[in-house]
Amino acid sequence: MSSVDDVLSGLDPEQRAVAEAVRGPVCVLAGAGTGKTRAITHRIAHAVRSGVVDAPSVLAVTFTTRAAGELRQRLRALGAPGVQARTFHAAALRQLTYFWPRVIGGEAPSVIESKLPVLSEACRRLRRGADRSELRDIASEVEWAKVTQIGPEDYVAAAAKYHRTPPVPAEELARLYDAYEQIRRERHLVDFETILELTAAVMTEHQEVAAQIRQQYRYFVVDEYQDVNPLQKLLLDTWLGGRDDLCVVGDPNQTIYSFTGATPRYLTGFAVEYPDAAVIKLVRDYRSTPQVVDLANLVIAKGRSPHRLELVAQRPDGPRPGFHEYDDEPAEAAGVARAIRKLLDQGVPSREIAVLFRTNSQSEAYEEALAKAELPYVVRGGERFFERPEVRQAVVLLRGAARSASEEPLASEVHHILAGLGLTPAPPGGGKAREKWESLRALADLAEDMAADGADLHGFVAELERRASEQHAPPVEGVTLASLHAAKGLEWDAVFLVGLTDGMLPIVYAETPEQIEEERRLLYVGITRARRHLALSWALSRTPGGRKGRRPSRFLDGLTGRASSAAARTSAPPRERRQVAAPVSCRVCAKTLVAAAEQKLGRCATCPADYDEELLESLKAWRTATAKEGKIPPYVVFTDVTLQAIAERVPRTEQELLSIAGVGRVKLDRYGEAVLSLCRSAS
């Protein structure tokens, strides 16, 4: 582009307002299909090219490696190639690895990609068995606890408070969680949550580290802000260090990960946290037809959220969404397969069609129906493209071929290599053989596209390695089968939303009003994945000949043209509303405390507080000796903030020590006697 103004050309008025708001704080409420990525990349590029910020001082944070790669690619095209676009974990790991030798010493810990092996060892230590499915559920619950900053000692109380339904009794899960953490520390390992926690702790406890990171990064952009969890928010606040050059982007209508610890309150409360913030709404939907947009608006309007966005369609008219009722699940799957065949006959590519369901267990019926109809399909949420055996083998062979001095054209050489792995001129009928063939075909198509641009085998292999690092798979020909959660952020020309019965959507264990509303938003996300064709269906029984006792989802009441299903449901007794944590007040001025560090101290950071300096130094010396003996970082024992709180309050009993945030039952058992002894000596 030739000028700064070129970066702003082609944006609609609201997108341009985002791009021109080059200094924070800025909150962008962006509905589905409204061009939020376009708006924020043009904002960053405009800020860089107009000289407001230097590209290396920008940190754009996303939730997936692929999204980060897309941001970098767009920013390069806009003339801002030096911007750092990373996931929370990638950015934190890079900083932690860099500073570890300086502030901790020794080799940085290894990162575990999966908690399952460590949890399996924890089960063996506690003399209990667990199958892989149960281990996955336990891992998910441990992740929830860690991102909400709940330690093993506090898990049982927190599980009751937040109406969690753990896969094993809460007391047992707390023991597994504690054993998991012990094994992880013993083996010098970090998981994704610990990476964020340690990075924030290192910055908090080592001001020279914080100063260097804050000198580097001065300008922050966070995408999908409705999905931020408390641990990510803690790290973001630590990065900011009281500054407000922050732009956040999110959609309250697409909050569907609360069960993992994510919370939309940081997005919806942004203007309260930053009273001077510019709040800009993007509601022009460029993805879907007016018919799809109208249905999405109707579904979300029936909910209870005061923060919803109403989309305004920008595309021409399309077909009306279809509603289909079937006698049983096999009939529903067969009907969907027939409808997909019709779309293929009309020229819709199979990769532009998706079947979306609430749970992964629903996939099997559609895999069978599509295989029987000899239709290609891809199951999303299973193996990643570059981790499939045939793809990994192909990359190894291609890398080896690139080291030789072959004069063969790129496309023909790639075809020759892939033919040895099973790429035939015509596809096999269906099933796993067809899925493998489609993977190899995608590699061959990418080679043909790059060959047309003059690339050689070296360039092709380099492109594959770049795509693998960013999880940017080439398009695979086949109907996508995916859960609604896995479909977020994606779009297709045609979408089939299946299994829409009460008990499945909303899912049967969604009990509180908040959980029901999240299920409604999940349906909204599914609807807004469709560009043009949309079909919604349900089955009255599970098996042929079974009792037809099911009813369409309550979220479809008044939308299908059929009688409302509300009357067919027995009214459930009102459920107790979810409890919320009581606010923490400053013990000096009584102001409600928001920041985690202030809540630990029990006072505002600016409020005066007396403390025994000798006691604080004694506590720090004891912590250093204890950490050295246990071969763990000092902040694993207690953070500086917790030690400060102890020195200010000087607890004399176990109960007084337990009342300090950061001191739980496990830490009381391990360190309470020593800490209380120091406090009594100081008294």
Side-chain angles (χ1 to χ4, degrees):
M1 291 190 174
S2 58
S3 70
V4 172
D5 287 341
D6 289 335
V7 178
L8 302 177
S9 64
L11 301 178
D12 69 29
E14 294 79 20
Q15 292 171 346
R16 184 171 181 128
V18 173
E20 291 180 329
V22 291
R23 303 311 297 249
V26 177
C27 178
V28 182
L29 300 175
T34 57
K36 69 180 177 68
T37 304
R38 177 179 174 83
I40 61 174
T41 51
H42 282 251
R43 176 183 185 268
I44 295 170
H46 180 49
V48 169
R49 297 188 61 183
S50 61
V52 174
V53 296
D54 295 325
S57 68
V58 180
L59 180 57
V61 186
T62 69
F63 277 77
T64 66
T65 303
R66 179 172 182 177
E70 182 183 354
L71 273 180
R72 289 194 294 270
Q73 187 174 352
R74 291 200 190 194
L75 287 166
R76 281 195 296 269
L78 290 169
V83 171
Q84 296 295 306
R86 301 181 181 278
T87 64
F88 270 104
H89 298 109
L93 179 61
R94 192 179 189 203
Q95 295 167 10
L96 186 64
T97 304
Y98 179 81
F99 288 106
W100 187 278
R102 184 193 310 179
V103 298
I104 307 299
E107 188 176 345
S110 301
V111 180
I112 53 175
E113 296 291 333
S114 169
K115 291 181 173 64
L116 300 192
V118 181
L119 278 171
S120 181
E121 173 63 22
C123 286
R124 286 193 291 272
R125 286 193 181 184
L126 296 178
R127 301 181 185 279
R128 75 177 303 280
D131 59 28
R132 192 168 182 84
S133 176
E134 186 179 57
L135 281 177
R136 281 197 296 266
D137 292 340
I138 293 170
S140 296
E141 194 66 7
V142 169
E143 287 168 7
W144 171 81
K146 296 192 74 169
V147 302
T148 50
Q149 298 181 274
I150 295 166
E153 64 274 19
D154 299 320
Y155 173 77
V156 175
K161 177 179 177 180
Y162 294 111
H163 302 284
R164 302 294 293 184
T165 307
V168 297
E171 294 79 4
E172 188 174 351
L173 197 138
R175 290 193 294 271
L176 284 169
Y177 180 10
D178 188 45
Y180 166 85
E181 289 290 87
Q182 289 183 39
I183 295 168
R184 184 185 58 73
R185 287 194 291 266
E186 288 169 6
R187 298 182 181 175
H188 201 45
L189 304 172
V190 291
D191 53 26
F192 290 136
E193 296 78 32
T194 307
I195 291 169
L196 305 189
E197 188 174 30
L198 290 183
T199 303
V202 166
M203 290 184 68
T204 300
E205 298 182 11
H206 298 273
Q207 290 304 307
E208 71 280 9
V209 172
Q212 189 169 338
I213 291 175
R214 290 168 187 160
Q215 178 68 25
Q216 168 72 51
Y217 297 117
R218 300 169 171 271
Y219 194 82
F220 294 84
V221 178
V222 184
D223 195 10
E224 303 290 357
Y225 201 59
Q226 79 279 349
D227 291 333
V228 165
N229 62 48
L231 186 53
Q232 291 164 335
K233 182 62 162 63
L234 172 65
L235 177 60
L236 177 62
D237 288 344
T238 309
W239 279 337
L240 285 165
R243 299 169 295 174
D244 64 359
D245 228 335
L246 170 66
C247 173
V248 302
V249 188
D251 181 3
N253 290 357
Q254 296 189 68
T255 302
I256 59 172
Y257 290 108
S258 294
F259 65 94
T260 68
T263 172
R265 70 173 183 268
Y266 303 127
L267 175 66
T268 57
F270 190 84
V272 176
E273 185 177 5
Y274 297 96
D276 297 329
V279 179
I280 304 168
K281 294 183 179 181
L282 303 182
V283 295
R284 300 175 195 247
D285 187 316
Y286 298 96
R287 175 188 299 162
S288 306
T289 62
Q291 288 73 17
V292 172
V293 169
D294 287 347
L295 180 60
N297 284 337
L298 285 171
V299 166
I300 208 69
K302 288 175 175 287
R304 300 166 58 249
S305 172
H307 302 289
R308 60 179 176 266
L309 297 173
E310 184 169 350
L311 300 175
V312 180
Q314 305 296 301
R315 289 190 58 179
D317 280 348
R320 294 174 63 85
F323 297 91
H324 306 280
E325 183 173 276
Y326 296 90
D327 287 341
D328 51 68
E329 287 181 6
E332 183 181 9
V336 168
R338 288 193 299 272
I340 290 173
R341 171 63 70 189
K342 289 181 181 179
L343 288 173
L344 295 175
D345 292 342
Q346 294 169 15
V348 179
S350 60
R351 66 174 176 271
E352 288 295 347
I353 302 173
V355 179
L356 306 181
F357 30 75
R358 175 61 178 85
T359 68
N360 288 322
S361 62
Q362 295 170 273
S363 175
E364 185 177 357
Y366 294 90
E367 292 180 50
E368 291 179 1
L370 295 179
K372 186 175 181 179
E374 296 190 349
L375 298 174
Y377 65 85
V378 177
V379 180
R380 188 174 182 86
E383 277 185 314
R384 292 178 174 177
F385 179 83
F386 286 101
E387 293 172 359
R388 296 177 185 174
E390 64 272 15
V391 174
R392 293 172 65 180
Q393 190 175 1
V395 171
V396 169
L397 293 175
L398 290 165
R399 192 181 292 125
R403 289 195 287 266
S404 64
S406 173
E407 298 296 327
E408 192 174 358
L410 171 60
S412 59
E413 186 163 10
V414 171
H415 271 271
H416 176 73
I417 292 170
L418 297 182
L421 297 176
L423 181 63
T424 55
K432 294 297 182 184
R434 178 63 178 263
E435 195 171 352
K436 175 182 176 181
W437 186 91
E438 293 292 354
S439 297
L440 299 175
R441 180 71 253 175
L443 293 175
D445 289 344
L446 180 61
E448 290 174 5
D449 291 343
M450 293 187 65
D453 293 331
D456 59 10
L457 189 56
H458 288 282
F460 180 62
V461 170
E463 174 66 7
L464 289 180
E465 291 173 344
R466 181 191 70 79
R467 284 171 172 261
S469 69
E470 297 178 354
Q471 291 301 325
H472 182 198
V476 177
E477 199 60 50
V479 176
T480 299
L481 302 180
S483 72
L484 288 164
H485 283 100
K488 186 171 177 292
L490 304 175
E491 57 187 81
W492 295 269
D493 283 347
V495 169
F496 292 83
L497 301 178
V498 300
L500 301 181
T501 58
D502 251 20
M504 188 57 73
L505 192 74
I507 199 76
V508 66
Y509 50 76
E511 299 178 340
T512 67
E514 292 84 357
Q515 291 168 341
I516 296 293
E517 285 307 300
E518 182 142 330
E519 295 288 300
R520 179 186 299 279
R521 293 192 295 268
L522 198 53
L523 176 59
Y524 172 87
V525 166
I527 292 171
T528 55
R529 300 311 93 196
R531 298 192 192 102
R532 180 172 176 82
H533 303 279
L534 177 63
L536 303 91
S537 62
W538 58 92
L540 299 179
S541 71
R542 187 173 70 84
T543 57
R547 187 176 71 86
K548 299 177 182 179
R550 294 177 173 177
R551 294 292 181 269
S553 168
R554 69 191 71 175
F555 302 143
L556 301 180
D557 285 350
L559 304 177
T560 66
R562 294 172 168 81
S564 169
S565 62
R569 289 188 297 271
T570 57
S571 58
R575 298 186 181 273
E576 187 178 329
R577 294 181 64 85
R578 177 184 293 183
Q579 299 176 17
V580 297
V584 179
S585 301
C586 173
R587 64 177 187 273
V588 180
C589 70
K591 177 183 175 182
T592 299
L593 302 177
V594 177
E598 291 182 338
Q599 289 180 348
K600 278 194 173 185
L601 286 174
R603 62 171 175 81
C604 300
T606 55
C607 282
D610 294 327
Y611 66 93
D612 188 326
E613 293 186 8
E614 289 186 10
L615 173 58
L616 182 58
E617 291 306 315
S618 297
L619 288 167
K620 288 185 175 180
W622 162 81
R623 181 184 64 175
T624 300
T626 302
K628 186 175 181 180
E629 182 181 348
K631 297 180 180 179
I632 56 177
Y635 43 78
V636 172
V637 181
F638 286 121
T639 65
D640 276 357
V641 174
T642 300
L643 291 187
Q644 177 82 25
I646 292 171
E648 290 183 10
R649 301 191 198 181
V650 196
R652 299 181 185 180
T653 66
E654 289 189 352
Q655 199 58 41
E656 289 177 355
L657 184 56
L658 269 176
S659 69
I660 296 174
V663 182
R665 178 59 61 180
V666 171
K667 289 195 176 183
L668 179 70
D669 293 342
R670 290 178 184 167
Y671 311 126
E673 185 176 345
V675 170
L676 289 173
S677 176
L678 289 171
C679 291
R680 289 170 189 141
S681 298
S683 299

